[in-house]
Amino acid sequence: MVNSHGHVDHVSANGQFKEPVYLHEKDFGLCKQHTSSEFRKGSIENAKAYMDYATGQIRNILPNDFDEEANLELGTGNIVPVKEGDVFNLGGITLKIVEVPGHTTGSIDLIYEEENWLYAGDAMGSFLWLFC
């Protein structure tokens, strides 16, 4: 698994995997902050009091079997640093790391070289360009 950057919506599940999870080292601190027990506790409370704007109702959006204590202890996972030019060879598919700082200092994208495709994280999108 490769995290495009260190924000909570990209890194919070890392601790569910034993395998390495790749992230630019410039976002390690952000990842640690966003996967801390304190940060997770705030996210859980927000999910319990989610405002459904379609209905105007506040509701709990957590699954019925959500294990709050286990979630609070997940941590960062086994994060491994990547940088500009690093390559993942997936047996005929080559993914190359491209640094795209801006959304976060360690934001990255992946280029699928054989097809010239770009897998972009949050560093690309019409809404984000409003703040550039």
Side-chain angles (χ1 to χ4, degrees):
M1 182 164 52
V2 179
N3 295 141
S4 63
H5 63 290
H7 282 154
V8 63
D9 56 326
H10 293 261
V11 300
S12 64
N14 289 354
Q16 296 180 39
F17 298 90
K18 293 178 185 171
E19 297 80 12
V21 178
Y22 300 93
L23 175 71
H24 196 287
E25 66 184 349
K26 289 182 180 176
D27 271 10
F28 273 30
L30 182 62
C31 175
K32 288 177 184 175
Q33 176 191 2
H34 282 222
T35 57
S36 69
S37 293
E38 296 80 27
F39 200 95
R40 288 177 183 278
K41 189 169 287 210
S43 295
I44 291 167
E45 292 308 312
N46 288 339
K48 287 179 179 178
Y50 175 78
M51 169 56 83
D52 184 338
Y53 290 101
T55 65
Q57 301 294 312
I58 294 175
R59 62 186 179 97
N60 181 350
I61 60 170
L62 294 171
N64 291 334
D65 61 350
F66 181 75
D67 186 339
E68 186 171 331
E69 290 304 314
N71 183 274
L72 291 173
E73 300 304 319
L74 281 176
T76 63
N78 181 19
I79 54 175
V80 175
V82 292
K83 64 184 179 317
E84 177 86 23
D86 285 352
V87 174
F88 295 99
N89 186 334
L90 306 177
I93 295 173
T94 306
L95 299 176
K96 184 176 179 181
I97 300 291
V98 179
E99 295 176 1
V100 289
H103 184 60
T104 68
T105 57
S107 288
I108 60 171
D109 288 344
L110 296 165
I111 295 180
Y112 174 12
E113 293 193 317
E114 291 78 13
E115 295 293 333
N116 204 28
W117 292 352
L118 177 71
Y119 293 98
D122 288 358
M124 182 179 209
S126 59
F127 182 73
L128 293 167
W129 290 114
L130 293 173
F131 302 107
C132 292

